[in-house]
PDB file of all heavy atoms in Angstrom:
ATOM      1  N   ARG D 128      66.444  33.366   8.116  1.00  0.00           N
ATOM      2  CA  ARG D 128      67.334  33.490   6.970  1.00  0.00           C
ATOM      3  C   ARG D 128      68.356  34.538   7.344  1.00  0.00           C
ATOM      4  O   ARG D 128      67.997  35.688   7.602  1.00  0.00           O
ATOM      5  CB  ARG D 128      66.523  33.911   5.731  1.00  0.00           C
ATOM      6  CG  ARG D 128      67.324  34.135   4.467  1.00  0.00           C
ATOM      7  CD  ARG D 128      67.643  32.831   3.724  1.00  0.00           C
ATOM      8  NE  ARG D 128      68.795  33.041   2.863  1.00  0.00           N
ATOM      9  CZ  ARG D 128      68.778  32.998   1.535  1.00  0.00           C
ATOM     10  NH1 ARG D 128      67.664  32.712   0.888  1.00  0.00           N
ATOM     11  NH2 ARG D 128      69.884  33.230   0.844  1.00  0.00           N
ATOM     12  N   GLU D 129      69.617  34.176   7.388  1.00  0.00           N
ATOM     13  CA  GLU D 129      70.622  35.134   7.863  1.00  0.00           C
ATOM     14  C   GLU D 129      70.779  36.285   6.859  1.00  0.00           C
ATOM     15  O   GLU D 129      70.880  37.443   7.254  1.00  0.00           O
ATOM     16  CB  GLU D 129      71.968  34.426   8.125  1.00  0.00           C
ATOM     17  CG  GLU D 129      72.827  35.185   9.117  1.00  0.00           C
ATOM     18  CD  GLU D 129      74.008  34.378   9.658  1.00  0.00           C
ATOM     19  OE1 GLU D 129      74.013  33.138   9.500  1.00  0.00           O
ATOM     20  OE2 GLU D 129      74.921  35.000  10.236  1.00  0.00           O
ATOM     21  N   GLU D 130      70.775  35.969   5.571  1.00  0.00           N
ATOM     22  CA  GLU D 130      70.871  37.046   4.558  1.00  0.00           C
ATOM     23  C   GLU D 130      69.617  37.899   4.592  1.00  0.00           C
ATOM     24  O   GLU D 130      68.507  37.414   4.408  1.00  0.00           O
ATOM     25  CB  GLU D 130      71.048  36.444   3.153  1.00  0.00           C
ATOM     26  CG  GLU D 130      71.099  37.545   2.073  1.00  0.00           C
ATOM     27  CD  GLU D 130      71.282  37.000   0.647  1.00  0.00           C
ATOM     28  OE1 GLU D 130      71.733  35.850   0.503  1.00  0.00           O
ATOM     29  OE2 GLU D 130      70.968  37.746  -0.306  1.00  0.00           O
ATOM     30  N   HIS D 131      69.836  39.180   4.831  1.00  0.00           N
ATOM     31  CA  HIS D 131      68.716  40.120   4.851  1.00  0.00           C
ATOM     32  C   HIS D 131      68.959  41.116   3.729  1.00  0.00           C
ATOM     33  O   HIS D 131      69.744  42.045   3.868  1.00  0.00           O
ATOM     34  CB  HIS D 131      68.660  40.839   6.208  1.00  0.00           C
ATOM     35  CG  HIS D 131      67.455  41.722   6.379  1.00  0.00           C
ATOM     36  ND1 HIS D 131      66.780  41.803   7.570  1.00  0.00           N
ATOM     37  CD2 HIS D 131      66.798  42.553   5.529  1.00  0.00           C
ATOM     38  CE1 HIS D 131      65.774  42.658   7.449  1.00  0.00           C
ATOM     39  NE2 HIS D 131      65.778  43.130   6.213  1.00  0.00           N
ATOM     40  N   SER D 132      68.311  40.897   2.590  1.00  0.00           N
ATOM     41  CA  SER D 132      68.564  41.734   1.405  1.00  0.00           C
ATOM     42  C   SER D 132      67.296  41.798   0.565  1.00  0.00           C
ATOM     43  O   SER D 132      66.415  40.945   0.715  1.00  0.00           O
ATOM     44  CB  SER D 132      69.696  41.118   0.568  1.00  0.00           C
ATOM     45  OG  SER D 132      69.210  39.944  -0.067  1.00  0.00           O
ATOM     46  N   PRO D 133      67.196  42.778  -0.310  1.00  0.00           N
ATOM     47  CA  PRO D 133      66.007  42.891  -1.180  1.00  0.00           C
ATOM     48  C   PRO D 133      65.882  41.696  -2.124  1.00  0.00           C
ATOM     49  O   PRO D 133      64.814  41.438  -2.663  1.00  0.00           O
ATOM     50  CB  PRO D 133      66.271  44.182  -1.978  1.00  0.00           C
ATOM     51  CG  PRO D 133      67.296  44.928  -1.204  1.00  0.00           C
ATOM     52  CD  PRO D 133      68.141  43.903  -0.518  1.00  0.00           C
ATOM     53  N   ARG D 134      66.979  40.972  -2.314  1.00  0.00           N
ATOM     54  CA  ARG D 134      66.941  39.794  -3.166  1.00  0.00           C
ATOM     55  C   ARG D 134      66.172  38.648  -2.482  1.00  0.00           C
ATOM     56  O   ARG D 134      65.473  37.862  -3.125  1.00  0.00           O
ATOM     57  CB  ARG D 134      68.399  39.348  -3.401  1.00  0.00           C
ATOM     58  CG  ARG D 134      68.597  38.249  -4.390  1.00  0.00           C
ATOM     59  CD  ARG D 134      70.080  37.887  -4.454  1.00  0.00           C
ATOM     60  NE  ARG D 134      70.451  37.051  -3.324  1.00  0.00           N
ATOM     61  CZ  ARG D 134      71.215  35.960  -3.407  1.00  0.00           C
ATOM     62  NH1 ARG D 134      71.740  35.613  -4.566  1.00  0.00           N
ATOM     63  NH2 ARG D 134      71.499  35.258  -2.326  1.00  0.00           N
ATOM     64  N   VAL D 135      66.317  38.565  -1.174  1.00  0.00           N
ATOM     65  CA  VAL D 135      65.646  37.505  -0.415  1.00  0.00           C
ATOM     66  C   VAL D 135      64.271  37.967   0.085  1.00  0.00           C
ATOM     67  O   VAL D 135      63.282  37.248  -0.045  1.00  0.00           O
ATOM     68  CB  VAL D 135      66.526  37.072   0.788  1.00  0.00           C
ATOM     69  CG1 VAL D 135      65.751  36.127   1.704  1.00  0.00           C
ATOM     70  CG2 VAL D 135      67.816  36.423   0.290  1.00  0.00           C
ATOM     71  N   LEU D 136      64.231  39.154   0.650  1.00  0.00           N
ATOM     72  CA  LEU D 136      62.978  39.656   1.241  1.00  0.00           C
ATOM     73  C   LEU D 136      62.280  40.507   0.189  1.00  0.00           C
ATOM     74  O   LEU D 136      62.486  41.706   0.102  1.00  0.00           O
ATOM     75  CB  LEU D 136      63.286  40.444   2.510  1.00  0.00           C
ATOM     76  CG  LEU D 136      64.094  39.656   3.559  1.00  0.00           C
ATOM     77  CD1 LEU D 136      64.330  40.497   4.813  1.00  0.00           C
ATOM     78  CD2 LEU D 136      63.418  38.347   3.922  1.00  0.00           C
ATOM     79  N   VAL D 137      61.451  39.872  -0.621  1.00  0.00           N
ATOM     80  CA  VAL D 137      60.888  40.480  -1.830  1.00  0.00           C
ATOM     81  C   VAL D 137      59.445  40.919  -1.612  1.00  0.00           C
ATOM     82  O   VAL D 137      58.773  40.444  -0.691  1.00  0.00           O
ATOM     83  CB  VAL D 137      60.940  39.463  -3.004  1.00  0.00           C
ATOM     84  CG1 VAL D 137      62.390  39.088  -3.323  1.00  0.00           C
ATOM     85  CG2 VAL D 137      60.115  38.226  -2.675  1.00  0.00           C
ATOM     86  N   PRO D 138      58.960  41.810  -2.460  1.00  0.00           N
ATOM     87  CA  PRO D 138      57.568  42.236  -2.338  1.00  0.00           C
ATOM     88  C   PRO D 138      56.604  41.080  -2.567  1.00  0.00           C
ATOM     89  O   PRO D 138      55.598  40.946  -1.872  1.00  0.00           O
ATOM     90  CB  PRO D 138      57.410  43.280  -3.454  1.00  0.00           C
ATOM     91  CG  PRO D 138      58.791  43.683  -3.849  1.00  0.00           C
ATOM     92  CD  PRO D 138      59.692  42.537  -3.534  1.00  0.00           C
ATOM     93  N   LYS D 139      56.929  40.239  -3.540  1.00  0.00           N
ATOM     94  CA  LYS D 139      56.026  39.136  -3.868  1.00  0.00           C
ATOM     95  C   LYS D 139      56.893  37.992  -4.380  1.00  0.00           C
ATOM     96  O   LYS D 139      57.675  38.171  -5.323  1.00  0.00           O
ATOM     97  CB  LYS D 139      55.050  39.591  -4.967  1.00  0.00           C
ATOM     98  CG  LYS D 139      53.973  38.611  -5.316  1.00  0.00           C
ATOM     99  CD  LYS D 139      52.607  39.027  -4.726  1.00  0.00           C
ATOM    100  CE  LYS D 139      51.600  37.876  -4.746  1.00  0.00           C
ATOM    101  NZ  LYS D 139      51.679  37.032  -3.540  1.00  0.00           N
ATOM    102  N   VAL D 140      56.784  36.831  -3.788  1.00  0.00           N
ATOM    103  CA  VAL D 140      57.617  35.715  -4.238  1.00  0.00           C
ATOM    104  C   VAL D 140      57.247  35.318  -5.661  1.00  0.00           C
ATOM    105  O   VAL D 140      56.096  35.437  -6.077  1.00  0.00           O
ATOM    106  CB  VAL D 140      57.489  34.469  -3.318  1.00  0.00           C
ATOM    107  CG1 VAL D 140      58.074  34.750  -1.938  1.00  0.00           C
ATOM    108  CG2 VAL D 140      56.050  34.006  -3.230  1.00  0.00           C
ATOM    109  N   SER D 141      58.245  34.837  -6.375  1.00  0.00           N
ATOM    110  CA  SER D 141      58.044  34.457  -7.772  1.00  0.00           C
ATOM    111  C   SER D 141      57.289  33.124  -7.858  1.00  0.00           C
ATOM    112  O   SER D 141      56.614  32.846  -8.848  1.00  0.00           O
ATOM    113  CB  SER D 141      59.421  34.326  -8.429  1.00  0.00           C
ATOM    114  OG  SER D 141      59.325  34.059  -9.795  1.00  0.00           O
ATOM    115  N   PHE D 142      57.401  32.333  -6.825  1.00  0.00           N
ATOM    116  CA  PHE D 142      56.739  31.018  -6.769  1.00  0.00           C
ATOM    117  C   PHE D 142      56.387  30.768  -5.310  1.00  0.00           C
ATOM    118  O   PHE D 142      57.251  30.904  -4.440  1.00  0.00           O
ATOM    119  CB  PHE D 142      57.695  29.930  -7.292  1.00  0.00           C
ATOM    120  CG  PHE D 142      57.101  28.542  -7.374  1.00  0.00           C
ATOM    121  CD1 PHE D 142      56.692  28.024  -8.589  1.00  0.00           C
ATOM    122  CD2 PHE D 142      56.954  27.761  -6.239  1.00  0.00           C
ATOM    123  CE1 PHE D 142      56.146  26.749  -8.679  1.00  0.00           C
ATOM    124  CE2 PHE D 142      56.396  26.484  -6.313  1.00  0.00           C
ATOM    125  CZ  PHE D 142      55.997  25.980  -7.539  1.00  0.00           C
ATOM    126  N   VAL D 143      55.145  30.422  -5.062  1.00  0.00           N
ATOM    127  CA  VAL D 143      54.734  30.136  -3.678  1.00  0.00           C
ATOM    128  C   VAL D 143      54.951  28.654  -3.387  1.00  0.00           C
ATOM    129  O   VAL D 143      54.167  27.806  -3.796  1.00  0.00           O
ATOM    130  CB  VAL D 143      53.253  30.501  -3.441  1.00  0.00           C
ATOM    131  CG1 VAL D 143      52.856  30.159  -2.001  1.00  0.00           C
ATOM    132  CG2 VAL D 143      52.998  31.969  -3.733  1.00  0.00           C
ATOM    133  N   SER D 144      56.037  28.342  -2.690  1.00  0.00           N
ATOM    134  CA  SER D 144      56.185  26.965  -2.202  1.00  0.00           C
ATOM    135  C   SER D 144      55.174  26.709  -1.097  1.00  0.00           C
ATOM    136  O   SER D 144      54.520  25.673  -1.067  1.00  0.00           O
ATOM    137  CB  SER D 144      57.590  26.732  -1.644  1.00  0.00           C
ATOM    138  OG  SER D 144      58.521  26.579  -2.673  1.00  0.00           O
ATOM    139  N   ALA D 145      55.087  27.674  -0.196  1.00  0.00           N
ATOM    140  CA  ALA D 145      54.194  27.540   0.955  1.00  0.00           C
ATOM    141  C   ALA D 145      53.645  28.927   1.276  1.00  0.00           C
ATOM    142  O   ALA D 145      54.421  29.856   1.482  1.00  0.00           O
ATOM    143  CB  ALA D 145      54.956  26.982   2.152  1.00  0.00           C
ATOM    144  N   PRO D 146      52.331  29.048   1.298  1.00  0.00           N
ATOM    145  CA  PRO D 146      51.733  30.361   1.549  1.00  0.00           C
ATOM    146  C   PRO D 146      51.812  30.750   3.027  1.00  0.00           C
ATOM    147  O   PRO D 146      51.702  29.895   3.906  1.00  0.00           O
ATOM    148  CB  PRO D 146      50.284  30.178   1.104  1.00  0.00           C
ATOM    149  CG  PRO D 146      50.005  28.726   1.321  1.00  0.00           C
ATOM    150  CD  PRO D 146      51.303  28.001   1.069  1.00  0.00           C
ATOM    151  N   GLY D 147      51.959  32.056   3.273  1.00  0.00           N
ATOM    152  CA  GLY D 147      52.055  32.542   4.653  1.00  0.00           C
ATOM    153  C   GLY D 147      50.738  32.454   5.399  1.00  0.00           C
ATOM    154  O   GLY D 147      50.720  32.235   6.611  1.00  0.00           O
ATOM    155  N   THR D 148      49.653  32.636   4.677  1.00  0.00           N
ATOM    156  CA  THR D 148      48.336  32.579   5.303  1.00  0.00           C
ATOM    157  C   THR D 148      47.398  31.809   4.384  1.00  0.00           C
ATOM    158  O   THR D 148      47.705  31.577   3.217  1.00  0.00           O
ATOM    159  CB  THR D 148      47.749  33.985   5.533  1.00  0.00           C
ATOM    160  OG1 THR D 148      47.637  34.648   4.267  1.00  0.00           O
ATOM    161  CG2 THR D 148      48.629  34.810   6.454  1.00  0.00           C
TER     162      THR D 148
END
Side-chain angles (χ1 to χ4, degrees):
Chain D
R128 178 82 202 246
E129 204 166 345
E130 178 180 340
H131 186 140
S132 72
R134 187 183 79 136
V135 171
L136 304 181
V137 298
K139 186 104 195 88
V140 293
S141 184
F142 184 102
V143 179
S144 284
T148 60

